[in-house]
């Protein structure tokens, strides 16, 4: 089993995260090929080594045809720059008069708040189409689109708009598409089974942008942290350490915010350098971990906790939303079973399977998003198969599959299952019904085993 541990004690942005994974060993040649397949003009990337805190770190930079002021500290934080609140307010008023400004204006990398408004405005569907036409694997495309969807949700919430009305400026701009797709490609290339993370460390103060001055954390980061329960630690640094794209990447990876359990061996370490000159350097540190001992019969056993409650006064739509929220923050399984309560009242039994470390977090969600006023829980043991996520080259394209294996003491038989999200992405890419793609892939997997 391979795991990724993220040390975010110095912040996170899209380019810092990508640089850290490249430093871990993600394939830079594969990344360049995917970015070339976008067939978009106006950018190139530079991957280099830099020194921060006397350490060698990887720097990932998207070079644009037009300067985006991504490391101009005076522009972002100075009071004498062209981005002062008064000047920014004038810029905002001019944009409103010209009709060039859209209410949904957030930013996706460590330096997104100072961009000018020459970028094209793109809807979420426009961005999904750009990602779809790339040569990235279905798994990488799905992750990149999920990151943008999380950003879109934050934009919509911050500006009081429905998601379909959000039009992206810097989030939809070229540098952000490249940053986010690059992050997804690197995660996919490293073939990670689990993600662990420290809390996100943020600075304080204000940052200048075309709106004027925004408080730190900026609204999109605050919205993402609240919705996806990302723990934040505030530091003494005056400046923005966590960017919307960085927060969205963490939310999409759904990490466990605890130290990795059991024993692990560090296979590689990587540092992704930031570009801003704060009082101390900003960077992402990433560790690639593997279980230090071979699989044994004990790996067949797992400790979990089961949460239950009976609910008889809630609509189906609220149940669906509750399930989404629970799954996003780490629930291993969520189910609803029709039951009858006292006086023959029809109701549903909510059952949630989770790690014991997530008990309080999930209980808080249930109380917040349902009508229950009591939850039962019990620690349990379960038997689980060892599983490994791999790519399968089907005749329709690459598909992510899960290979599960019984312990040798129980025969060592293996089973292979295609992942739904990967099948869905392939069906959309090939313009085929999902049931057709599912049948073809399962048939080819069966032939592979026989």
């Amino acid at each position: 089993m391979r795991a990724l541990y993220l040390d975010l004690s110095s912040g996170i942005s899209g380019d810092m995260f990508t640089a850290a994974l490249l430093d871990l060993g993600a394939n830079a040649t594969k990344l360049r090929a995917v970015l070339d397949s976008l067939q978009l003009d106006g950018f190139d990337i530079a991957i280099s080594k830099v020194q921060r805190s006397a350490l060698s770190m990887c720097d990932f930079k998207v070079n644009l045809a037009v300067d985006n002021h991504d490391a101009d500290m005076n522009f972002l934080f100075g009071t004498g720059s062209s981005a002062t609140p008064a000047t920014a307010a004038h810029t905002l008023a001019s944009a409103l008069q010209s009709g060039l400004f859209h209410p949904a204006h957030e930013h996706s990398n460590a330096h997104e708040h100072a961009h000018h408004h020459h970028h094209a405005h793109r809807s979420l569907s426009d961005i999904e189409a750009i990602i779809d036409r790339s040569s990235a694997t279905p798994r990488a495309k799905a992750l990149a689109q999920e990151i943008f969807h999380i950003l879109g949700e934050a934009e919509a919430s911050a500006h009081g708009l429905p998601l379909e009305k959000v039009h992206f400026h810097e989030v939809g701009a070229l540098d952000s598409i490249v940053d986010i797709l690059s992050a997804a490609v690197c995660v996919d290339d490293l073939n990670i089974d689990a993600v662990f993370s420290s809390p996100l460390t943020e600075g304080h103060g204000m940052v200048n942008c075309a709106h004027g001055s925004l408080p730190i954390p900026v609204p999109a980061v605050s919205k993402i942290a609240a919705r996806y329960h990302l723990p934040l630690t505030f530091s003494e640094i005056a400046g923005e350490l966590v960017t919307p794209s960085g927060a969205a990447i963490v939310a999409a990876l759904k990490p466990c915010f605890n130290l990795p359990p059991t024993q692990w061996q560090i296979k590689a370490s990587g540092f992704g350098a930031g570009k801003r000159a704060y009082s101390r350097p900003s960077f992402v540190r990433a560790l690639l971990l593997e279980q230090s001992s071979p699989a044994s019969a004990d790996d067949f056993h797992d400790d979990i906790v089961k949460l239950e409650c009976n609910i008889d006064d809630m609509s189906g739509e609220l149940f669906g939303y509750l399930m989404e929220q629970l799954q996003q923050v780490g629930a291993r399984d969520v189910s609803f079973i029709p039951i009858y309560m006292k006086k023959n009242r029809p109701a549903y039994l909510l059952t949630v399977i989770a790690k014991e470390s997530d008990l309080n977090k999930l209980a808080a969600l249930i109380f917040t998003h349902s009508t229950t006023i009591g939850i039962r829980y019990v620690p349990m043991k379960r038997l689980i198969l060892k599983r490994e996520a791999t790519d399968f080259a089907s005749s329709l394209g690459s598909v992510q599959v899960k290979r599960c294996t019984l312990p040798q003491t129980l025969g060592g038989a293996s089973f292979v299952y295609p992942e739904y999200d990967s099948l869905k992405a392939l069906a959309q890419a090939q313009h085929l019904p999902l049931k057709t793609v599912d049948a073809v892939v399962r048939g080819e997997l069966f032939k592979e085993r026989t």
Side-chain angles (χ1 to χ4, degrees):
M1 180 178 178
R2 288 160 64 89
L4 177 68
Y5 178 75
L6 298 173
D7 176 1
L8 307 181
S9 58
S10 297
I12 182 171
S13 65
D15 56 343
M16 290 160 59
F17 175 83
T18 299
L21 266 57
L22 287 168
D23 210 29
L24 274 184
N27 192 316
T29 301
K30 181 185 295 186
L31 173 58
R32 290 182 185 277
V34 170
L35 296 179
D36 287 344
S37 72
L38 289 173
Q39 298 181 346
L40 295 175
D41 296 325
F43 83 96
D44 61 32
I45 63 169
I47 301 171
S48 62
K49 287 287 188 176
V50 296
Q51 288 284 323
R52 298 284 191 274
S53 295
L55 295 174
S56 176
M57 300 186 183
C58 181
D59 179 69
F60 175 78
K61 181 173 177 58
V62 181
N63 295 311
L64 301 174
V66 179
D67 182 20
N68 63 357
H69 301 281
D70 63 357
D72 188 338
M73 299 296 285
N74 193 46
F75 189 95
L76 296 170
F77 302 106
T79 57
S81 72
S82 59
T84 61
T87 304
H90 174 74
T91 302
L92 174 60
S94 300
L96 286 169
Q97 292 171 1
S98 64
L100 296 176
F101 179 78
H102 289 236
H105 181 96
E106 267 306 337
H107 315 279
S108 75
N109 70 27
H111 327 293
E112 295 139 349
H113 304 290
H115 293 201
H116 294 299
H117 290 276
H118 53 263
H119 294 300
H121 307 125
R122 294 185 173 103
S123 68
L124 189 59
S125 60
D126 293 332
I127 295 169
E128 289 174 344
I130 291 172
I131 293 171
D132 268 335
R133 74 181 185 225
S134 75
S135 63
T137 66
R139 181 169 56 175
K141 290 178 182 179
L143 177 58
Q145 289 171 344
E146 183 177 4
I147 295 169
F148 266 110
H149 186 83
I150 291 169
L151 283 169
E153 287 178 334
E155 292 293 342
S157 178
H159 296 286
L161 295 172
L163 183 58
E164 61 272 14
K165 295 292 185 182
V166 172
H167 283 74
F168 300 88
H169 288 215
E170 275 71 356
V171 167
L174 188 58
D175 54 337
S176 300
I177 293 173
V178 174
D179 264 351
I180 288 172
L181 182 57
S182 296
V185 169
C186 289
V187 170
D188 178 60
D189 182 62
L190 290 173
N191 199 22
I192 303 300
D193 299 309
V195 180
F196 301 91
S197 178
S198 73
L200 290 72
T201 298
E202 178 62 292
H204 67 275
M206 308 290 288
V207 60
N208 291 323
C209 73
H211 298 298
S213 293
L214 290 179
I216 298 170
V218 296
V221 169
S222 298
K223 296 292 185 181
I224 294 170
R227 176 158 189 173
Y228 294 92
H229 302 272
L230 306 184
L232 286 180
T233 298
F234 290 91
S235 73
E236 77 287 353
I237 294 179
E240 178 195 32
L241 301 184
V242 178
T243 67
S245 65
I249 288 169
V250 176
L253 292 176
K254 303 177 180 63
C256 175
F257 290 100
N258 290 306
L259 294 175
T262 68
Q263 293 184 355
W264 297 79
Q265 181 179 358
I266 298 177
K267 304 300 291 185
S269 62
F271 288 86
K275 298 175 179 61
R276 290 183 178 180
Y278 292 124
S279 57
R280 60 181 171 88
S282 57
F283 56 85
V284 168
R285 182 170 71 106
L287 301 178
L288 187 62
L289 308 175
E290 286 189 0
Q291 285 184 318
S292 58
S293 58
S296 66
D298 290 338
D299 296 325
F300 192 48
H301 298 268
D302 188 27
D303 294 321
I304 57 169
V305 63
K306 181 172 73 170
L307 298 84
E308 288 186 347
C309 60
N310 300 349
I311 303 175
D312 65 351
D313 57 351
M314 202 165 89
S315 71
E317 292 85 356
L318 293 180
F319 274 110
Y321 183 76
L322 174 60
M323 176 180 284
E324 292 175 1
Q325 296 298 303
L326 291 169
Q327 290 173 332
Q328 286 173 354
V329 298
R332 295 299 190 264
D333 199 5
V334 182
S335 62
F336 306 118
I337 302 173
I339 59 173
Y340 283 91
M341 295 174 57
K342 59 185 179 182
K343 300 181 181 178
N344 282 335
R345 294 200 308 270
Y348 286 93
L349 170 65
L350 166 66
T351 302
V352 180
I353 303 298
K355 291 290 186 182
E356 190 167 4
S357 58
D358 293 330
L359 172 63
N360 291 338
K361 176 173 60 176
L362 294 172
L365 268 180
I366 295 171
F367 282 128
T368 301
H369 296 289
S370 78
T371 57
T372 192
I373 58 174
I375 300 171
R376 306 178 294 275
Y377 72 91
V378 57
M380 304 180 73
K381 292 185 177 293
R382 65 174 179 173
L383 304 178
I384 57 172
L385 297 183
K386 179 184 176 184
R387 73 283 310 271
E388 179 185 9
T390 62
D391 289 328
F392 173 69
S394 76
S395 60
L396 297 176
S398 180
V399 178
Q400 185 184 7
V401 299
K402 184 181 296 180
R403 300 182 182 273
C404 302
T405 307
L406 276 166
Q408 289 299 323
T409 54
L410 298 179
S414 63
F415 313 92
V416 186
Y417 306 101
E419 295 284 8
Y420 165 76
D421 286 338
S422 185
L423 288 174
K424 176 183 173 183
L426 185 58
Q428 292 173 338
Q430 296 291 346
H431 304 290
L432 291 171
L434 177 60
K435 63 180 181 180
T436 300
V437 174
D438 181 68
V440 169
V441 172
R442 288 182 185 274
E444 293 178 358
L445 284 170
F446 179 78
K447 290 180 180 178
E448 177 193 63
R449 293 180 59 204
T450 58

